[in-house]
Coordinates of all heavy atoms in Angstrom, one line a residue:
M1 N 73.6 70.8 29.7 CA 74.9 70.4 29.7 C 75.8 71.5 29.6 O 76.8 71.7 30.3 CB 75.1 69.4 28.5 CG 76.6 68.9 28.4 SD 77.1 68.0 29.9 CE 76.2 66.5 29.6
L2 N 75.5 72.6 28.8 CA 76.4 73.7 28.7 C 76.5 74.4 30.1 O 77.7 74.9 30.4 CB 75.8 74.6 27.7 CG 75.8 74.2 26.1 CD1 75.3 75.2 25.3 CD2 77.2 73.7 25.8
E3 N 75.4 74.6 30.7 CA 75.4 75.1 32.0 C 76.2 74.4 33.1 O 76.9 74.8 33.8 CB 74.0 75.5 32.5 CG 73.4 76.5 31.7 CD 72.0 77.1 32.3 OE1 71.7 76.8 33.5 OE2 71.3 77.6 31.4
H4 N 76.0 73.1 33.0 CA 76.7 72.2 33.9 C 78.2 72.3 33.7 O 79.0 72.2 34.7 CB 76.2 70.7 33.6 CG 76.9 69.7 34.5 ND1 76.8 69.6 35.9 CD2 77.8 68.9 34.1 CE1 77.5 68.7 36.3 NE2 78.3 68.2 35.4
L5 N 78.6 72.4 32.5 CA 80.0 72.6 32.1 C 80.6 73.9 32.4 O 81.8 74.3 32.3 CB 80.3 72.2 30.7 CG 80.1 70.6 30.4 CD1 80.2 70.5 28.9 CD2 81.0 69.8 31.1
G6 N 79.7 75.0 32.7 CA 80.0 76.3 33.0 C 80.5 77.0 31.7 O 81.3 78.0 31.8
I7 N 79.9 76.7 30.5 CA 80.4 77.3 29.2 C 79.1 77.9 28.6 O 79.4 78.4 27.6 CB 81.1 76.4 28.4 CG1 80.2 75.2 28.0 CG2 82.4 75.9 28.9 CD1 80.9 74.2 26.9
R8 N 78.1 77.9 29.1 CA 76.8 78.5 28.5 C 77.1 79.9 28.0 O 76.6 80.4 26.9 CB 75.5 78.4 29.3 CG 74.3 79.1 28.8 CD 73.8 78.6 27.4 NE 72.7 79.4 27.0 CZ 72.8 80.4 26.1 NH1 74.0 80.8 25.8 NH2 71.7 81.0 25.7
H9 N 77.8 80.7 28.7 CA 78.1 82.1 28.4 C 78.9 82.2 27.2 O 78.9 83.3 26.6 CB 78.7 82.8 29.7 CG 80.3 82.3 29.9 ND1 80.4 81.0 30.5 CD2 81.4 82.7 29.5 CE1 81.7 80.8 30.5 NE2 82.3 81.8 29.9
L10 N 79.4 81.3 26.6 CA 80.3 81.3 25.4 C 79.4 81.2 24.2 O 79.9 81.5 23.1 CB 81.2 80.2 25.4 CG 82.3 80.2 26.6 CD1 83.2 78.9 26.5 CD2 83.1 81.4 26.6
F11 N 78.0 81.1 24.3 CA 77.2 80.9 23.2 C 76.2 82.1 23.1 O 75.5 82.3 24.1 CB 76.6 79.4 23.2 CG 77.4 78.4 23.1 CD1 78.1 77.8 24.2 CD2 77.7 77.7 21.9 CE1 79.0 76.8 24.1 CE2 78.6 76.7 21.8 CZ 79.2 76.1 22.9
A12 N 76.1 82.7 22.1 CA 75.0 83.8 21.8 C 73.7 83.3 21.8 O 72.7 83.9 22.2 CB 75.4 84.6 20.6
A13 N 73.6 82.0 21.3 CA 72.2 81.4 21.1 C 72.4 79.9 21.2 O 73.5 79.4 20.8 CB 71.6 81.8 19.8
V14 N 71.4 79.3 21.8 CA 71.3 77.8 21.8 C 69.9 77.4 21.4 O 68.9 77.9 21.8 CB 71.6 77.3 23.3 CG1 71.3 75.8 23.3 CG2 73.0 77.7 23.8
V15 N 69.9 76.6 20.3 CA 68.7 76.1 19.7 C 68.6 74.5 20.0 O 69.6 73.9 19.6 CB 68.5 76.6 18.4 CG1 67.2 76.0 17.8 CG2 68.7 78.0 18.1
T16 N 67.5 74.1 20.5 CA 67.4 72.6 20.6 C 66.2 72.1 19.6 O 65.5 72.9 19.2 CB 67.1 72.2 22.0 OG1 65.8 72.7 22.4 CG2 68.1 72.9 23.1
S17 N 66.2 70.9 19.6 CA 65.0 70.3 18.8 C 63.7 70.7 19.3 O 62.7 70.8 18.5 CB 65.1 68.7 18.7 OG 64.9 68.2 20.0
E18 N 63.5 71.1 20.6 CA 62.3 71.5 21.2 C 61.9 72.9 20.6 O 60.7 73.3 20.8 CB 62.3 71.5 22.7 CG 62.5 70.1 23.2 CD 62.8 70.1 24.6 OE1 62.8 71.2 25.3 OE2 62.9 69.0 25.3
D19 N 62.7 73.7 20.0 CA 62.5 75.1 19.6 C 62.0 75.1 18.1 O 61.7 76.1 17.7 CB 63.8 75.8 19.7 CG 64.3 76.0 21.1 OD1 63.5 76.1 22.0 OD2 65.5 75.9 21.4
V20 N 62.0 74.0 17.5 CA 61.6 73.9 16.1 C 60.5 72.9 15.8 O 60.4 71.9 16.6 CB 62.7 73.8 15.0 CG1 63.8 74.8 15.1 CG2 63.4 72.4 15.4
V21 N 59.8 73.2 14.7 CA 58.7 72.2 14.3 C 59.2 70.9 13.8 O 59.0 69.8 14.0 CB 57.6 72.8 13.5 CG1 56.6 71.8 13.0 CG2 57.0 74.0 14.2
H22 N 60.1 71.1 12.7 CA 60.6 70.0 12.0 C 62.1 69.7 12.3 O 62.9 70.6 12.4 CB 60.6 70.4 10.4 CG 59.3 70.7 9.9 ND1 58.8 71.9 9.7 CD2 58.3 69.9 9.7 CE1 57.6 71.9 9.2 NE2 57.2 70.6 9.3
Q23 N 62.4 68.4 12.4 CA 63.7 67.9 12.9 C 64.6 67.7 11.7 O 64.1 67.6 10.6 CB 63.5 66.6 13.8 CG 62.6 66.8 14.9 CD 62.8 67.8 15.8 OE1 63.8 67.9 16.3 NE2 61.8 68.7 16.2
K24 N 65.8 67.5 12.0 CA 66.7 67.1 11.0 C 66.2 65.9 10.1 O 65.7 65.0 10.8 CB 68.3 66.8 11.5 CG 68.8 67.9 12.2 CD 70.1 67.4 13.0 CE 70.6 68.5 13.9 NZ 71.7 68.1 14.8
P25 N 66.4 65.8 8.9 CA 67.2 66.6 8.0 C 66.5 67.9 7.6 O 67.2 68.6 6.7 CB 67.4 65.7 6.8 CG 66.1 64.8 6.7 CD 65.7 64.7 8.2
A26 N 65.5 68.3 8.1 CA 64.9 69.8 7.8 C 65.9 70.7 8.3 O 66.6 70.5 9.4 CB 63.5 69.9 8.4
P27 N 66.1 72.0 7.6 CA 67.0 72.9 8.0 C 66.6 73.8 9.2 O 67.4 74.6 9.6 CB 67.2 73.7 6.8 CG 66.0 73.6 6.1 CD 65.4 72.3 6.3
D28 N 65.5 73.5 9.9 CA 64.8 74.4 10.7 C 65.8 74.9 11.9 O 65.8 76.0 12.3 CB 63.4 73.9 11.3 CG 62.4 73.6 10.2 OD1 62.8 73.4 9.0 OD2 61.3 73.7 10.5
I29 N 66.4 73.9 12.5 CA 67.2 74.2 13.7 C 68.3 75.1 13.3 O 68.6 76.0 14.1 CB 67.6 72.9 14.4 CG1 68.1 73.2 15.9 CG2 68.7 72.1 13.7 CD1 68.2 71.9 16.7
F30 N 69.0 75.0 12.2 CA 70.1 75.7 11.8 C 69.6 77.1 11.4 O 70.3 78.1 11.7 CB 70.8 75.0 10.7 CG 71.6 73.9 11.1 CD1 71.0 72.6 10.9 CD2 72.7 73.9 11.9 CE1 71.6 71.3 11.4 CE2 73.4 72.8 12.5 CZ 72.8 71.5 12.2
L31 N 68.5 77.2 10.7 CA 67.9 78.5 10.4 C 67.4 79.3 11.5 O 67.7 80.5 11.6 CB 66.6 78.3 9.4 CG 67.0 77.7 8.1 CD1 65.8 77.3 7.3 CD2 68.0 78.6 7.2
E32 N 67.0 78.7 12.5 CA 66.5 79.3 13.8 C 67.8 79.8 14.6 O 67.8 81.0 15.0 CB 65.7 78.4 14.7 CG 65.3 79.1 16.0 CD 64.4 80.2 15.9 OE1 63.8 80.5 14.9 OE2 64.4 81.0 16.9
A33 N 68.8 79.2 14.5 CA 70.1 79.5 15.1 C 70.6 80.9 14.5 O 71.0 81.8 15.0 CB 71.2 78.5 15.1
A34 N 70.6 80.8 13.1 CA 71.1 81.9 12.3 C 70.2 83.1 12.6 O 70.7 84.3 12.8 CB 71.1 81.6 10.8
R35 N 69.0 82.9 12.7 CA 68.0 84.0 13.0 C 68.2 84.7 14.3 O 68.4 85.8 14.5 CB 66.5 83.6 12.9 CG 65.5 84.7 13.1 CD 64.1 84.1 13.3 NE 63.9 83.5 14.7 CZ 63.9 84.1 15.8 NH1 63.9 85.4 15.9 NH2 63.8 83.5 17.0
R36 N 68.5 83.8 15.3 CA 68.7 84.3 16.7 C 69.9 85.1 16.8 O 70.1 86.0 17.7 CB 68.7 83.1 17.6 CG 67.4 82.5 17.9 CD 67.4 81.5 19.1 NE 66.1 80.9 19.1 CZ 65.7 80.0 20.0 NH1 66.6 79.7 21.1 NH2 64.7 79.4 20.0
I37 N 71.0 84.8 16.0 CA 72.3 85.5 16.2 C 72.3 86.7 15.2 O 73.3 87.4 15.1 CB 73.6 84.7 16.1 CG1 73.6 84.0 14.7 CG2 73.6 83.7 17.3 CD1 74.9 83.1 14.6
G38 N 71.3 86.7 14.2 CA 71.1 87.8 13.3 C 72.2 87.7 12.2 O 72.6 88.8 11.7
V39 N 72.5 86.6 11.7 CA 73.4 86.3 10.6 C 72.7 85.6 9.5 O 72.0 84.5 9.7 CB 74.7 85.5 11.1 CG1 75.6 85.3 9.9 CG2 75.3 86.3 12.2
P40 N 72.8 86.0 8.3 CA 72.2 85.3 7.2 C 72.7 83.8 7.1 O 74.0 83.6 7.3 CB 72.6 86.1 5.9 CG 73.0 87.3 6.4 CD 73.5 87.2 7.7
P41 N 71.9 82.9 6.7 CA 72.4 81.5 6.7 C 73.6 81.4 5.7 O 74.6 80.5 6.1 CB 71.1 80.7 6.2 CG 70.0 81.5 6.6 CD 70.5 83.0 6.5
E42 N 73.6 82.1 4.7 CA 74.8 82.0 3.6 C 76.0 82.2 4.3 O 77.1 82.0 3.8 CB 74.4 82.7 2.5 CG 73.1 82.6 1.8 CD 72.0 83.3 2.5 OE1 72.2 84.3 3.0 OE2 70.9 82.6 2.5
S43 N 76.0 83.1 5.3 CA 77.3 83.5 6.0 C 77.7 82.7 7.3 O 78.5 82.9 8.0 CB 77.1 84.8 6.5 OG 76.8 85.8 5.4
C44 N 77.0 81.5 7.4 CA 77.1 80.8 8.6 C 78.0 79.5 8.3 O 77.9 78.9 7.1 CB 75.8 80.3 9.2 SG 74.9 81.5 9.9
R45 N 78.7 79.0 9.2 CA 79.4 77.6 9.0 C 78.8 76.8 10.3 O 78.9 77.4 11.4 CB 80.9 77.9 9.2 CG 81.6 76.6 9.2 CD 83.2 76.7 9.3 NE 83.6 77.6 8.1 CZ 84.5 78.5 8.4 NH1 85.1 78.7 9.5 NH2 85.0 79.0 7.3
A46 N 78.6 75.8 9.9 CA 78.0 74.8 11.1 C 78.7 73.5 11.2 O 79.1 73.0 10.0 CB 76.4 74.5 10.8
Y47 N 78.8 72.9 12.3 CA 79.6 71.7 12.5 C 78.7 70.7 13.0 O 77.8 70.8 13.8 CB 80.6 72.0 13.7 CG 81.6 73.1 13.3 CD1 81.3 74.3 13.3 CD2 82.9 72.6 12.8 CE1 82.2 75.4 13.1 CE2 83.8 73.6 12.4 CZ 83.5 75.0 12.5 OH 84.4 75.8 12.1
E48 N 78.8 69.5 12.4 CA 77.8 68.4 12.7 C 78.7 67.1 12.7 O 79.8 66.9 12.1 CB 76.9 68.3 11.6 CG 75.5 68.7 12.0 CD 74.9 67.8 13.1 OE1 75.3 66.5 13.2 OE2 73.9 68.2 13.7
D49 N 78.1 66.1 13.3 CA 78.7 64.6 13.4 C 77.8 63.6 12.8 O 78.0 62.5 13.2 CB 79.1 64.4 14.8 CG 78.0 64.3 15.8 OD1 76.9 64.8 15.5 OD2 78.2 63.9 16.9
T50 N 76.7 64.0 12.1 CA 75.8 62.9 11.7 C 75.4 63.4 10.2 O 75.5 64.5 9.9 CB 74.5 62.8 12.3 OG1 73.6 64.2 12.1 CG2 74.7 62.7 13.8
D51 N 75.1 62.3 9.4 CA 74.7 62.5 8.0 C 73.5 63.4 7.9 O 73.3 64.2 7.1 CB 74.6 61.2 7.3 CG 75.9 60.5 7.0 OD1 76.9 61.1 7.0 OD2 75.8 59.2 6.9
L52 N 72.4 63.1 8.8 CA 71.3 63.9 8.7 C 71.4 65.3 9.0 O 70.9 66.3 8.5 CB 70.2 63.3 9.7 CG 69.5 61.9 9.3 CD1 68.5 61.6 10.4 CD2 68.8 62.3 8.0
G53 N 72.3 65.7 10.0 CA 72.7 67.0 10.3 C 73.4 67.7 9.3 O 73.1 68.9 9.0
L54 N 74.4 67.1 8.5 CA 75.0 67.8 7.5 C 74.1 67.9 6.3 O 74.2 68.9 5.6 CB 76.2 66.7 7.0 CG 77.3 66.7 7.9 CD1 78.1 65.5 7.6 CD2 78.2 67.9 8.0
Q55 N 73.1 67.0 6.0 CA 72.0 67.3 5.1 C 71.2 68.6 5.5 O 70.9 69.4 4.7 CB 71.2 66.1 5.1 CG 70.2 66.2 4.0 CD 69.3 64.9 3.8 OE1 69.6 63.8 4.4 NE2 68.1 65.0 3.2
A56 N 70.9 68.7 6.8 CA 70.2 69.8 7.2 C 71.0 71.2 7.1 O 70.4 72.2 6.6 CB 69.7 69.6 8.7
I57 N 72.2 71.0 7.3 CA 73.1 72.3 7.2 C 73.1 72.7 5.7 O 72.8 73.9 5.5 CB 74.5 72.0 7.7 CG1 74.6 71.8 9.2 CG2 75.4 73.1 7.3 CD1 75.9 71.3 9.7
R58 N 73.3 71.9 4.9 CA 73.3 72.1 3.3 C 72.0 72.6 3.0 O 72.0 73.6 2.1 CB 73.7 70.9 2.6 CG 75.2 70.7 2.8 CD 75.8 69.5 2.0 NE 77.1 69.1 2.5 CZ 77.5 67.9 3.2 NH1 76.4 67.1 3.5 NH2 78.6 67.8 3.5
A59 N 70.9 72.2 3.5 CA 69.5 72.6 3.1 C 69.2 74.0 3.5 O 68.6 74.7 3.0 CB 68.5 71.6 3.7
A60 N 70.0 74.4 4.7 CA 69.9 75.8 5.2 C 70.8 76.7 4.4 O 70.9 77.9 4.9 CB 70.3 75.8 6.6
R61 N 71.5 76.1 3.5 CA 72.5 77.1 2.6 C 73.7 77.5 3.5 O 74.3 78.6 3.2 CB 71.8 78.2 1.9 CG 70.7 77.7 1.2 CD 69.9 78.9 0.5 NE 69.5 80.0 1.3 CZ 68.5 80.1 2.2 NH1 67.9 79.1 2.4 NH2 68.4 81.1 2.9
M62 N 74.1 76.7 4.4 CA 75.3 77.1 5.2 C 76.5 76.2 4.8 O 76.3 75.1 4.2 CB 75.0 76.7 6.7 CG 73.9 77.6 7.2 SD 73.6 77.2 9.0 CE 72.3 78.3 9.5
E63 N 77.7 76.7 5.2 CA 78.8 75.8 5.0 C 78.8 74.7 6.1 O 78.7 75.0 7.2 CB 80.2 76.6 5.2 CG 81.3 75.9 4.9 CD 82.6 76.7 5.1 OE1 82.5 77.9 5.1 OE2 83.7 76.0 5.2
A64 N 79.0 73.5 5.6 CA 79.0 72.3 6.6 C 80.4 71.8 6.7 O 81.1 71.6 5.8 CB 78.0 71.2 5.9
V65 N 80.6 71.6 8.1 CA 81.8 71.0 8.4 C 81.6 69.7 9.2 O 80.9 69.5 10.2 CB 82.7 71.8 9.4 CG1 84.0 71.1 9.8 CG2 83.0 73.2 8.7
D66 N 82.0 68.5 8.6 CA 81.8 67.2 9.3 C 83.0 67.0 10.2 O 84.1 66.8 9.9 CB 81.9 66.2 8.1 CG 81.6 64.8 8.6 OD1 81.6 64.5 9.9 OD2 81.4 63.9 7.8
V67 N 82.5 67.0 11.6 CA 83.5 67.0 12.6 C 84.2 65.6 12.7 O 85.2 65.4 13.2 CB 83.0 67.5 14.0 CG1 82.6 68.9 13.9 CG2 81.9 66.6 14.5
R68 N 83.4 64.6 12.1 CA 84.0 63.1 12.2 C 85.3 63.1 11.4 O 86.2 62.4 11.8 CB 83.1 62.3 11.6 CG 81.6 62.2 12.3 CD 80.7 61.4 11.6 NE 80.3 62.0 10.4 CZ 79.3 61.6 9.6 NH1 78.6 60.6 9.9 NH2 78.9 62.3 8.5
S69 N 85.5 64.0 10.4 CA 86.7 63.9 9.7 C 87.8 64.7 10.4 O 89.0 64.3 10.3 CB 86.6 64.5 8.2 OG 86.2 66.0 8.3
L70 N 87.4 65.6 11.2 CA 88.4 66.4 12.1 C 88.9 65.5 13.1 O 90.1 65.4 13.5 CB 87.8 67.6 12.7 CG 87.2 68.7 11.7 CD1 86.5 69.8 12.5 CD2 88.4 69.2 10.9
I71 N 88.0 64.7 13.7 CA 88.4 63.7 14.8 C 89.3 62.6 14.1 O 90.4 62.3 14.8 CB 87.1 63.0 15.4 CG1 86.4 64.2 16.1 CG2 87.5 61.9 16.4 CD1 85.0 63.7 16.5
A72 N 89.0 62.1 13.0 CA 89.8 61.0 12.3 C 91.2 61.6 12.1 O 92.2 60.9 12.1 CB 89.1 60.6 11.0
Q73 N 91.3 62.9 11.7 CA 92.6 63.5 11.5 C 93.5 63.6 12.7 O 94.8 63.6 12.6 CB 92.5 65.0 10.8 CG 91.9 65.0 9.4 CD 91.6 66.2 8.8 OE1 91.9 67.3 9.5 NE2 91.0 66.4 7.7
G74 N 92.9 63.7 13.9 CA 93.5 63.9 15.1 C 94.0 62.6 15.6 O 94.8 62.6 16.6
K75 N 93.7 61.6 15.1 CA 94.1 60.1 15.6 C 95.5 59.9 15.2 O 95.9 60.1 14.1 CB 93.0 59.1 15.2 CG 91.8 59.3 16.1 CD 90.8 58.1 15.9 CE 89.6 58.3 16.7 NZ 88.7 57.3 16.5

């Protein structure tokens, strides 16, 4: 999708569920993203739109932003 939209170049790393063993709510996908960009998880902020995703972010020791609340504010 990122390539189709022509925005893949804007991302230093892309991690999908196929790149990790354990799926959300395990923190694996977020920890792998932090590893790929070379930033400690504690220094990361992640954005999510699901409860399982937010749980995974917190388990990775990252700052979690629930984008559903941002969307609700924009209405």
Side-chain angles (χ1 to χ4, degrees):
M1 181 60 73
L2 297 176
E3 288 188 23
H4 176 75
L5 294 171
I7 60 172
R8 171 60 184 91
H9 67 282
L10 298 174
F11 296 85
V14 175
V15 183
T16 72
S17 60
E18 296 173 358
D19 297 320
V20 296
V21 174
H22 301 103
Q23 308 305 311
K24 299 171 189 173
D28 299 29
I29 198 163
F30 294 101
L31 293 172
E32 178 61 18
R35 185 193 69 76
R36 289 187 186 187
I37 62 172
V39 176
E42 307 81 36
S43 298
C44 292
R45 176 182 298 141
Y47 297 80
E48 250 296 337
D49 63 350
T50 68
D51 291 334
L52 285 179
L54 291 165
Q55 184 179 342
I57 293 168
R58 291 183 187 107
R61 302 176 321 279
M62 296 179 177
E63 180 182 348
V65 177
D66 187 342
V67 300
R68 297 172 295 189
S69 65
L70 300 175
I71 294 168
Q73 291 174 6
K75 289 185 178 181

